[in-house]
Amino acid sequence: MKNTGIWMDKEKAYIIDIKENKEDMITIFSEIEDYRIHGGSGTRFKGGPQDVVQDSKYLEREKNQFKTYFKKIIPYIENADKIVIYGPAEAGEKFHKELEENYKKIGKKVKAVLKADSMTENQTKALIRDYFKNYKPHIL
């Protein structure tokens, strides 16, 4: 029985495999750009010149970068029996949605998607170890 826990945010993912009380961990970096929109009013006067900001262009690029990030993670989790996903932001939820839509076989192995703040590697290992030690089946 191979249990896999993933702690992920927009920047990186820690993938921890637990099999027969042995833990293996790998870190995958996302390469998702952290963009800040620059633009808006070019003057302090109402109705002055303004720059047009193309939000949709940035959001589409970010969406494609997330897909690339998720594809890098898939080979490390496809042989897991149970998967739990943790993270501080929406990255874990986006990943779960991607699994359910495009990787159905893996998506069925996800037992929970839970919120967790940023933590050290050892804290992450302990969190995932404790989850599977206390695991009780429930429906997502």
Side-chain angles (χ1 to χ4, degrees), residues 38-111:
H38 301 287
S41 179
T43 179
R44 62 185 174 96
F45 299 109
K46 186 175 180 177
Q50 296 180 352
D51 295 328
V52 176
V53 178
Q54 299 293 327
D55 267 351
S56 60
K57 184 170 44 174
Y58 291 110
L59 293 173
E60 188 62 31
R61 184 163 64 205
E62 183 184 64
K63 181 178 162 186
N64 289 331
Q65 290 171 348
F66 263 109
K67 284 193 176 284
T68 301
Y69 176 36
F70 297 156
K71 283 180 185 175
K72 286 166 57 174
I73 296 170
I74 296 296
Y76 296 98
I77 66 168
E78 60 191 354
N79 294 326
D81 294 308
K82 292 184 201 130
I83 299 170
V84 62
I85 302 170
Y86 284 97
E90 77 280 350
E93 292 166 5
K94 285 182 179 181
F95 184 55
H96 183 235
K97 185 178 177 185
E98 177 73 11
L99 291 175
E100 286 185 326
E101 290 177 3
N102 299 314
Y103 302 91
K104 291 180 185 354
K105 186 176 176 185
I106 299 171
K108 290 178 183 176
K109 298 176 184 181
V110 176
K111 302 305 174 193

Side-chain angles (χ1 to χ4, degrees), residues 1-7 14-19 22 24-26 73-86 95 106 109-112 124 128-129 131-132:
M1 178 72 59
K2 180 177 164 184
N3 296 324
T4 300
I6 304 166
W7 181 94
Y14 295 130
I15 301 170
I16 295 112
D17 288 328
I18 301 171
K19 186 175 183 180
K22 183 177 179 257
D24 290 317
M25 182 172 151
I26 187 165
I73 296 170
I74 296 296
Y76 296 98
I77 66 168
E78 60 191 354
N79 294 326
D81 294 308
K82 292 184 201 130
I83 299 170
V84 62
I85 302 170
Y86 284 97
F95 184 55
I106 299 171
K109 298 176 184 181
V110 176
K111 302 305 174 193
T124 304
I128 290 167
R129 193 177 329 116
Y131 175 84
F132 286 114

Side-chain angles (χ1 to χ4, degrees), residues 109-136:
K109 298 176 184 181
V110 176
K111 302 305 174 193
V113 181
L114 305 167
K115 296 284 183 196
D117 289 329
S118 295
M119 51 185 68
T120 66
E121 290 181 14
N122 285 336
Q123 289 172 325
T124 304
K125 286 179 184 178
L127 178 74
I128 290 167
R129 193 177 329 116
D130 290 345
Y131 175 84
F132 286 114
K133 190 183 297 180
N134 302 315
Y135 174 74
K136 291 179 179 63

